Amino acid sequence: MASRLRPRTHRRPGPGQGLGAQRPGLDWGPRLAAQAEGWTRWRKQQTEDLQRVLGAVDREIPLVLVSGNHDVGNVPTAETVEEFRRTWGDDYFSFWVGGVLFLVLNSQLLHDASCCPALKLAQDRWLEQQLGLARQRRCQHAVVFQHIPLFLQSIDEDDDYFNLTRAVRQELADKLAGAGIKAVFSGHYHRNAGGTYQNVDMVVSSAIGCQLGRDTHGLRVVVVTAEKIVHRYCSLDELTEKGIGDDLLELMRG
C-alpha cells in the first residue's frame, strides 16, 4: 500500500528462535519440501518484477508492505519469514503519523505458526506491548493492517480459508477493541467484504489483480481526519475517469 505518510517507525524486536523451536515428534520433511518447491519456482522473477515496479513510485510516497500467504507461505517457516525480512523489511512493525498509531501484523503467524512457534510468540509479546501503548497514549486513532481478515462479515461466522479461526479472531478482536483500535484493513479474500465488532471496523478489500468475485480491479482509498476514518473502494476505471471523488478530496483538504 502507498500513502503520503511521514511515519515514525517502531520496529519489532530481533527475530525469535527458528525451526529448533518446533514441536518434537512431528515429521515436517515432506510438507516443507513441497512448500519449498512451489515457493522457489517463480520467486526470484516475481520479486524482481515487483521491485522494478515499486522503484518507479515517487520517492515522496513512502511504501508500507504487509506480508501475506504469497509472501511467507500459508504455513510460514523461519526460512520464509527471514527471506521476507531480507527482501522487504520487517514482517510486523508500528509507525505513527500525526496522532495516529498504525500496527502492521504478520497474520500468517496467526493462521498457522506450527513450523515457527517462537516467531508467533515474539509477535504476540510485541503486540501486547503496542496495544498497551495505544491504551496509554489514547491515540487519536489506531489502525491495524494484516493480510488475513479477522472475519468477512461477522465475528461469529464459520471458519473459512479466508478468515482467522473463531478462537483466534475472537481473542484478537477483543484485544484490539479493548485498546481502542478503530479499523482493521485486510485483503486475502480477493473480494470486498467486512463488518463491525464493537467499535472496530473490519475492512476487507478486493485486489488490484485477480478477482474472485464480481468486484472490478481497483484499490481502497482511505482518508484519515481528526474526527473519523473514511474509506472507499475505487475501480481503476473510476480512478482514471473521475479520480477519488470530490467528497474525499474535500476531506483531505480540510
Side-chain angles (χ1 to χ4, degrees), residues 116-230:
C116 52
L119 298 185
K120 178 182 184 301
L121 180 60
Q123 178 177 252
D124 289 347
R125 289 172 173 169
W126 170 86
L127 180 59
E128 289 289 348
Q129 184 269 331
Q130 293 295 310
L131 295 180
L133 180 63
R135 287 188 292 267
Q136 177 185 348
R137 295 282 293 273
R138 296 183 179 181
C139 315
Q140 199 160 10
H141 301 296
V143 175
V144 169
F145 297 125
Q146 61 183 56
H147 183 65
I148 303 177
L150 297 171
F151 54 85
L152 301 175
Q153 295 180 323
S154 67
I155 192 71
D156 58 354
E157 68 194 20
D158 292 339
D159 292 350
D160 188 271
Y161 172 77
F162 292 107
N163 61 20
L164 295 176
T165 62
R166 283 187 179 184
V168 171
R169 89 175 72 122
Q170 186 68 64
E171 180 182 5
L172 180 55
D174 286 337
K175 289 180 179 180
L176 298 182
I181 300 297
K182 296 288 184 65
V184 178
F185 289 94
S186 296
H188 192 51
Y189 191 45
H190 289 253
R191 285 155 283 195
N192 288 311
T196 58
Y197 176 70
Q198 297 185 23
N199 294 322
V200 179
D201 188 12
M202 179 66 250
V203 184
V204 185
S205 298
S206 192
I208 200 168
C210 176
Q211 301 295 319
L212 298 182
R214 297 182 178 181
D215 298 300
T216 57
H217 306 283
L219 52 85
R220 188 168 299 276
V221 178
V222 183
V223 179
V224 181
T225 72
E227 295 79 24
K228 56 188 176 181
I229 299 174
V230 181

Side-chain angles (χ1 to χ4, degrees), residues 1-7 9 11 50-66 88-90 93 95 104 145:
M1 60 189 67
S3 61
R4 292 195 176 276
L5 305 174
R6 290 295 178 271
T9 303
R11 296 186 178 274
L50 180 56
Q51 289 176 330
R52 176 183 56 80
V53 172
L54 294 180
V57 175
D58 189 331
R59 296 287 180 175
E60 292 297 309
I61 304 176
L63 298 175
V64 178
L65 302 178
V66 182
W88 303 109
D90 290 333
F93 55 95
F95 59 94
V104 177
F145 297 125

